[in-house]
Amino acid sequence: MMFKHAIRPLLAAACALALSACTQSQKPVNFIAEGNPEKLSDWHLMAVASSKLQLNKDVVPYDLNTPLFTDYAHKLRTIWMPNGGSAVYNADTSFDFPIGTIISKTFYYPKGADGKTVLANYDSDGDQLDTSKVRLIETRLLVKRTNGWIALPYVWNADQTDAVLSRTGDQIPLEVTHEDKSVNKLTYVVPNVNQCASCHVADVKSRQFQPIGLKARHLNRDYTYDGVSTNQLAYLAKMHYLSGVPDDVDKTAPHNANWRDTTQPVDARARAYLDINCAHCHNDKGAANTTALHLNMGAPADLHLGLCKPPVAAGAGTGGRSHDIAPGKPDDSIMLYRLMSAEPGVMMPELGRSSVHQEGVALIREWIAAMKEGCDSK
């Protein structure tokens, strides 16, 4: 037993050394200013070696307080900026990023013990992915070029050694096993470049294209960097990736709740869920601004949030219901009806999922049920 305890630090050091060697063996990150590279490896952001997906030097991983739902896929998010580049902090909106910024999001599923089954769970895998234990699906890049952002979706090959550009998108049949052992058959949809853009247009009039998750309220949380738990905003500032960060940023920056943290008020959790999943379209400047339904964090809890609000247009999307949210009556609410659907033309969000997020539906149901019934004062 003494021998086992003594050797563990040596093994840990050896593993760390091996991972470091893999990172050092990669060529420097390659910002490609023009064209559409055919392979993800052309960018040198990450590489698979010895069944490990390794991030390159200065490619910084991060996570969100509440993530967007994509058919139960897990996501490894990263950001890289060129030497001397720095984003500018803003408390409310997406940061202002320099030309050369590359944001990546790798979608994957953990595998079951049989090595084949893909699982729907919420366990964190961190940023050291073992490709023998996960199935890599796609990696989406947002690249800031001279003329603005572009979106490039890359689909991983069967050997999980590289990903290939798929500008027209892709469809991948999956069977996802849930914690209760139920199996959900779905078609995972890789969006085409136009669909990527439709979600990232922050202002429909100016056609301004922006990242969605890289806002202070989503990033104000800890992440483990080099074995030390550190506030992400403070770490980005330390890396010179973010300027203008206030002192004690973990306390002064806005902070969305974790939708799964039941110690937080249900209102905070539900608003955070709607903010990340719906608000990129449902705000006063977004693609769904004509609906007058504003689901961004900070929007007042009134008619614009959907409380007792009649739909702009009747049709299949209403399910015969009269209000976006009928306080105290989740089953009479259009919002819940659309979240519960996987039918095109009915479901919301319209893109990004082929299945129903059962746990998310349960949260919104609980939130609406807790509201005081009645619309007389709305």
Side-chain angles (χ1 to χ4, degrees), residues 38-251:
E38 284 300 311
K39 295 182 179 180
L40 178 64
S41 56
D42 293 334
W43 298 89
H44 304 161
L45 292 169
M46 58 191 76
V48 176
S50 302
S51 298
K52 298 293 189 296
L53 180 65
Q54 294 298 322
L55 303 181
N56 207 346
K57 184 176 183 291
D58 296 332
V59 176
V60 177
Y62 66 93
D63 211 343
L64 308 183
N65 282 314
T66 289
L68 188 146
F69 173 74
T70 310
D71 285 334
Y72 291 96
H74 290 213
K75 300 168 189 178
L76 169 58
R77 302 169 178 83
T78 74
I79 187 166
W80 176 88
M81 296 181 205
N83 252 349
S86 178
V88 178
Y89 176 86
N90 186 298
D92 301 312
T93 64
S94 293
F95 305 145
D96 184 11
F97 292 94
I99 292 171
T101 299
I102 307 174
I103 300 167
S104 81
K105 185 159 59 172
T106 298
F107 296 71
Y108 67 94
Y109 290 90
K111 294 180 182 177
D114 60 4
K116 298 179 181 179
T117 306
V118 297
L119 306 176
N121 62 38
Y122 297 105
D123 298 331
S124 174
D125 303 292
D127 51 71
Q128 302 290 335
L129 298 185
D130 184 340
T131 58
S132 68
K133 296 181 179 179
V134 303
R135 178 175 174 181
L136 302 174
I137 302 292
E138 61 162 324
T139 296
R140 301 177 194 172
L141 299 187
L142 288 182
V143 181
K144 182 74 175 289
R145 290 176 168 170
T146 303
N147 294 327
W149 292 97
I150 66 162
L152 297 171
Y154 291 85
V155 177
W156 283 86
N157 60 24
D159 294 332
Q160 298 203 127
T161 55
D162 204 348
V164 178
L165 182 66
S166 183
R167 286 175 55 82
T168 58
D170 202 351
Q171 295 188 4
I172 302 170
L174 289 174
E175 290 188 357
V176 180
T177 301
H178 294 258
E179 293 176 346
D180 63 1
K181 307 303 180 184
S182 63
V183 177
N184 180 29
K185 291 185 178 182
L186 61 91
T187 300
Y188 181 100
V189 177
V190 178
N192 62 48
V193 292
N194 291 329
Q195 290 171 322
C196 290
S198 70
C199 285
H200 283 276
V201 171
D203 188 323
V204 291
K205 289 184 178 180
S206 67
R207 305 302 296 171
Q208 183 185 22
F209 191 111
Q210 291 287 355
I212 294 173
L214 284 158
K215 299 182 177 74
R217 63 183 181 269
H218 301 312
L219 293 175
N220 188 8
R221 53 161 289 170
D222 286 353
Y223 192 97
T224 301
Y225 296 103
D226 300 321
V228 179
S229 183
T230 306
N231 180 273
Q232 293 182 139
L233 294 169
Y235 187 82
L236 290 172
K238 178 182 176 182
M239 287 287 294
H240 304 291
Y241 276 9
L242 190 59
S243 63
V245 176
D247 294 335
D248 296 325
V249 65
D250 57 329
K251 298 176 182 177

Side-chain angles (χ1 to χ4, degrees), residues 317-337:
T318 69
R321 291 151 176 82
S322 302
H323 298 99
D324 288 348
I325 294 177
K329 299 179 179 180
D331 289 317
D332 291 345
S333 301
I334 296 171
M335 179 182 289
L336 190 69
Y337 172 72

